[in-house]
Amino acid sequence: MEAKKNTISVLMLPWLAHGHINPFLELAKKLADRNFHIYMCSTPVNLNSIKKRVTEKYSQSIELVELLLPSLPDLPPHYHTTNGLPPHLMNTLKTAFEMAAPKFSRILQTINPDLVIHDYNQPWVADSASSMNIPAVQFPTFSANVVALAIHMSENKEEMFPFPEIYLRQYEMISLKKDIDEAPAKKFPFDEALRRSRDIILVKTCRDIEGKYMDYLSILASKKIVPVGSLVQEPIDRDDHDEEIMQWLDKKEKCSTVFVSFGSEYFLSNEQIHAIAQGLELSKVNFIWVIRFPQGVKISIGDALREGFLERIGERGMVMEGWAPQSTILQHPSIGGFVSHCGWSSFMESKKFGVPIIAMPMHIDQPMNARLVEYLGMGVEAVRDENGKLQSEEIAKVIRKVVVEESGEAVRKKAIELSEKMNMTGDEEIDGVVKELVALCGTND
């Protein structure tokens, strides 16, 4: 199908992770509502996972475009996504994605869009677009403070980050350096790739919580920073699995339960699972816990948890494997806290629905997001020991403070206050995005 005349056509290319694809899709919907025509490009396995979210309303304005990755050893098509990908294959997936650049160029030539919106550290996208005189705008799905800190650390090694509330602990620095060292060789530094974005950089954030970080990022990148808002995923139709969860939650008192999830890409170690399980047990608070294992790993929930745990918690807890409707659960009246890794999408969902966070960051950008959670007053971090190990007693203490105890009242109130403020602004940010994109394409209203 072809885009309607007098519309702006946009080709989007997110990184192959659900935490990146989901914000791109939500942005696509917002733009489609404003007469843009969107081509969403990703691997078949990823597109198949989002097909049902491109509802009939968007069937004429959002097209899914397949990007076929080259065949590499140990990387069959069902591994062309980070969702469930065994950790040792992450670098192989990144290599395959970069090797698909020529195929993306052919897609670009075929579609010939007015604009390209792409993820971070994909300079080959900007190169292809530039060769066709198509503006390419970068949309890193991280917070503004994380992107600013990354550039600051790479360029101003001797100077302190000007916002002391955002920092990394020693064990987090070691972990981050390991992630960077193990990544495939980058053809382009992150900061240079950002500066290749045409005129503006889109950031998934809101000025009310990250205004000062946006301003500093603008200085560092020499670009205008345009916030796109929270881009929280709209709930989809429930299935039988969802109904079982809702029925279980319906039996719990208001704000009495925590939702426990660490995203679609991080897999807890046995040690971490046992520490969290003991913390939940000690807290005596109701909980729903989603545990994920890499594809191909033959282990059950019962095997992962210590013997007797499920029997001891009884009806107080629900433990499930794989996936759960996160945004639907967070909106339920019985949810009083979110035990979260502080992935940026999870952060935004908590903020939108007014759920305070029990922060347990794992890697990459999550520690900085956890610092922001505490700085804003919408949650409390469960502090680890000096080696970065989780402490069950600390987990239990923070859960009880945030959900039950009087000392956590200020956190609970702040979460609601931030939610009300976010929901009052509506789509103001998207209106600003549209204005910038229209100007960039040289199109008049």
Side-chain angles (χ1 to χ4, degrees):
M1 113 186 45
E2 292 185 2
K4 298 176 185 177
K5 291 183 178 180
N6 302 321
T7 66
I8 292 177
S9 60
V10 181
L11 177 59
M12 291 187 169
L13 183 68
W15 165 236
L16 305 175
H18 282 198
H20 293 243
I21 295 166
N22 289 339
F24 269 75
L25 180 57
E26 294 309 313
L27 177 59
K29 291 179 179 179
K30 300 288 187 183
L31 294 178
D33 288 338
R34 291 156 175 81
N35 207 33
F36 283 66
H37 189 89
I38 310 297
Y39 299 92
M40 177 65 69
C41 185
S42 193
T43 55
V45 65
N46 275 328
L47 295 180
N48 189 55
S49 71
I50 64 171
K51 275 180 181 176
K52 64 181 180 180
R53 289 173 49 204
V54 183
T55 57
E56 186 176 351
K57 175 183 177 182
Y58 296 106
S59 61
Q60 300 300 309
S61 53
I62 299 178
E63 294 187 59
L64 304 182
V65 180
E66 291 187 349
L67 177 66
L68 302 178
L69 303 191
S71 297
L72 294 180
D74 301 321
L75 199 74
H78 66 273
Y79 278 162
H80 292 175
T81 174
T82 64
N83 189 24
L85 182 74
H88 73 277
L89 290 176
M90 183 63 74
N91 288 344
T92 308
L93 179 63
K94 290 176 180 177
T95 299
F97 190 50
E98 292 180 6
M99 289 172 64
K103 292 184 179 179
F104 177 78
S105 292
R106 289 194 286 274
I107 291 171
L108 189 61
Q109 291 167 4
T110 301
I111 293 174
N112 192 27
D114 298 305
L115 176 73
V116 174
I117 298 177
H118 64 100
D119 218 321
Y120 79 107
N121 208 28
Q122 295 171 5
W124 43 274
V125 175
D127 291 341
S128 294
S130 179
S131 70
M132 297 179 61
N133 199 31
I134 298 171
V137 172
Q138 192 165 152
F139 174 32
T141 55
F142 303 112
S143 61
N145 79 79
V146 165
V147 179
L149 180 60
I151 298 177
H152 177 94
M153 289 173 64
S154 68
E155 295 186 345
N156 304 286
K157 295 181 173 61
E158 303 305 318
E159 297 178 23
M160 293 291 292
F161 191 54
F163 310 105
E165 70 274 7
I166 306 298
Y167 60 91
L168 287 170
R169 299 186 174 97
Q170 183 63 30
Y171 64 82
E172 293 165 341
M173 286 289 289
I174 293 170
S175 175
L176 183 60
K177 187 177 185 304
K178 184 172 180 288
D179 288 332
I180 293 171
D181 289 344
E182 291 181 353
K186 299 293 188 298
K187 296 179 182 178
F188 236 85
F190 182 48
D191 53 334
E192 288 188 40
L194 272 173
R195 293 190 184 103
R196 290 162 70 89
S197 186
R198 182 77 70 87
D199 296 350
I200 64 173
I201 297 170
L202 303 178
V203 180
K204 180 186 170 183
T205 193
C206 308
R207 180 159 282 281
D208 67 316
I209 60 170
E210 285 211 294
K212 63 182 182 180
Y213 311 121
M214 287 170 51
D215 292 341
Y216 186 55
L217 175 57
S218 180
I219 294 170
L220 292 173
S222 301
K223 300 288 179 183
K224 182 175 183 179
I225 307 303
V226 180
V228 300
S230 62
L231 298 182
V232 170
Q233 179 182 332
E234 295 296 327
I236 56 178
D237 294 337
R238 297 180 187 175
D239 56 22
D240 292 341
H241 173 62
D242 299 349
E243 287 300 331
E244 180 185 355
I245 295 170
M246 293 302 112
Q247 289 172 12
W248 185 87
L249 284 170
D250 288 342
K251 299 174 184 176
K252 307 304 176 188
E253 294 181 8
K254 184 178 179 180
C255 298
S256 68
T257 306
V258 292
F259 177 54
V260 187
S261 177
F262 295 89
S264 60
E265 296 167 50
Y266 187 83
F267 306 109
L268 297 168
S269 66
N270 288 337
E271 183 181 41
Q272 290 170 331
I273 288 174
H274 295 154
I276 293 165
Q278 188 177 359
L280 290 169
E281 188 172 355
L282 290 171
S283 75
K284 303 189 184 306
V285 170
N286 303 326
F287 64 89
I288 292 184
W289 184 7
V290 183
I291 301 180
R292 296 178 176 86
F293 306 107
Q295 289 186 47
V297 174
K298 295 180 180 179
I299 186 171
S300 68
I301 293 290
D303 292 335
L305 295 165
R306 284 185 173 147
E307 188 175 352
F309 173 77
L310 294 174
E311 291 75 18
R312 290 194 301 276
I313 59 147
E315 275 298 303
R316 185 164 68 78
M318 174 182 277
V319 185
M320 65 190 73
E321 180 183 345
W323 183 86
Q326 180 164 301
S327 60
T328 302
I329 291 172
L330 290 175
Q331 291 178 75
H332 196 282
S334 73
I335 295 296
F338 184 9
V339 178
S340 172
H341 64 319
C342 294
W344 194 233
S345 290
S346 293
F347 173 101
M348 283 296 186
E349 287 185 352
S350 272
K351 184 172 181 288
K352 182 175 178 62
F353 303 131
V355 179
I357 294 175
I358 295 93
M360 291 173 53
M362 295 297 170
H363 64 162
I364 311 176
D365 62 319
Q366 296 158 15
M368 289 82 89
N369 296 338
R371 307 297 114 80
L372 185 61
V373 164
E374 289 208 313
Y375 177 66
L376 293 172
M378 59 178 282
V380 180
E381 184 174 352
V383 178
R384 304 173 183 227
D385 69 16
E386 60 183 13
N387 297 312
K389 291 186 177 181
L390 296 172
Q391 304 176 86
S392 300
E393 294 80 5
E394 176 70 11
I395 294 170
K397 183 180 78 172
V398 174
I399 289 174
R400 289 199 60 79
K401 176 178 180 177
V402 169
V403 179
V404 179
E405 294 174 356
E406 188 176 341
S407 61
E409 183 62 26
V411 171
R412 297 189 286 271
K413 283 184 177 179
K414 190 64 177 182
I416 293 172
E417 176 189 319
L418 289 170
S419 171
E420 291 172 345
K421 192 171 184 179
M422 174 185 280
N423 294 321
M424 279 176 60
T425 60
D427 282 345
E428 287 179 10
E429 289 99 350
I430 294 297
D431 294 335
V433 172
V434 169
K435 183 178 178 181
E436 295 290 342
L437 297 185
V438 168
L440 199 58
C441 294
T443 305
N444 295 321
D445 291 330

